[in-house]
Amino acid sequence: VWSRAQPEAGPRLQPGCCRRAGMWGRQEFERVWRREFPGAEVPLLELESVTELRSELLRSELVRSELEWSRERIRAAQQLLDREKLRLTFLQTALERVAAGSGVAAGSGV
């Protein structure tokens, strides 16, 4: 059985400390999230210590990094697909022109 180790408690965050520091509060986060992602469930951010805040930040940075890597892979695959589509179109057109000029059917293999 796997268990999740509890992080060190670390210094506790005081109520309202995020807002005093110029950071978004939970209600403002929810409002902005709903505006940016209508219909999507708002993630729960119950951060009660600096350690939890740092852990969540690290997790978020790792997820973003993985998604950016995935986006680059998708972009490269899309470029490859676009090249192959162009190549296919060119080859089909060339074959049709050859067949039209020689009287050979395009699909005959000759």
Side-chain angles (χ1 to χ4, degrees), residues 43-55:
L44 183 61
L45 290 178
E46 293 292 330
L47 306 172
E48 298 182 15
S49 72
V50 172
T51 301
E52 289 175 354
L53 183 63
R54 287 183 179 142
S55 294

Side-chain angles (χ1 to χ4, degrees), residues 30 34-35 67-68 81-82 90 92-93 96 106:
E30 290 176 4
R34 286 189 178 104
R35 184 182 67 225
L67 292 173
E68 286 176 354
L81 178 60
D82 291 344
F90 175 79
Q92 287 173 335
T93 302
E96 289 169 2

Side-chain angles (χ1 to χ4, degrees), residues 5 14 19 29 37 39 44 46 50-51 58 72 91 95 103:
Q14 298 298 317
R19 184 162 302 283
F29 173 76
F37 309 106
L44 183 61
E46 293 292 330
V50 172
T51 301
L58 179 59
E72 290 301 317
L91 293 171
L95 183 58

Side-chain angles (χ1 to χ4, degrees), residues 21-97:
M23 298 166 57
W24 292 351
R26 187 164 105 191
Q27 292 172 340
E28 187 171 358
F29 173 76
E30 290 176 4
R31 182 181 57 78
V32 172
W33 182 274
R34 286 189 178 104
R35 184 182 67 225
E36 293 293 321
F37 309 106
E41 186 176 334
V42 179
L44 183 61
L45 290 178
E46 293 292 330
L47 306 172
E48 298 182 15
S49 72
V50 172
T51 301
E52 289 175 354
L53 183 63
R54 287 183 179 142
S55 294
E56 188 64 20
L57 177 61
L58 179 59
R59 189 195 69 76
S60 184
E61 288 172 344
L62 290 171
V63 168
R64 184 188 69 194
S65 177
E66 290 173 8
L67 292 173
E68 286 176 354
W69 180 81
S70 295
R71 183 182 351 181
E72 290 301 317
R73 301 259 321 181
I74 290 169
R75 187 176 294 133
Q78 185 63 50
Q79 287 177 349
L80 180 59
L81 178 60
D82 291 344
R83 290 178 190 145
E84 288 303 314
K85 284 181 179 179
L86 178 62
R87 185 171 179 251
L88 178 65
T89 301
F90 175 79
L91 293 171
Q92 287 173 335
T93 302
L95 183 58
E96 289 169 2
R97 286 181 182 165

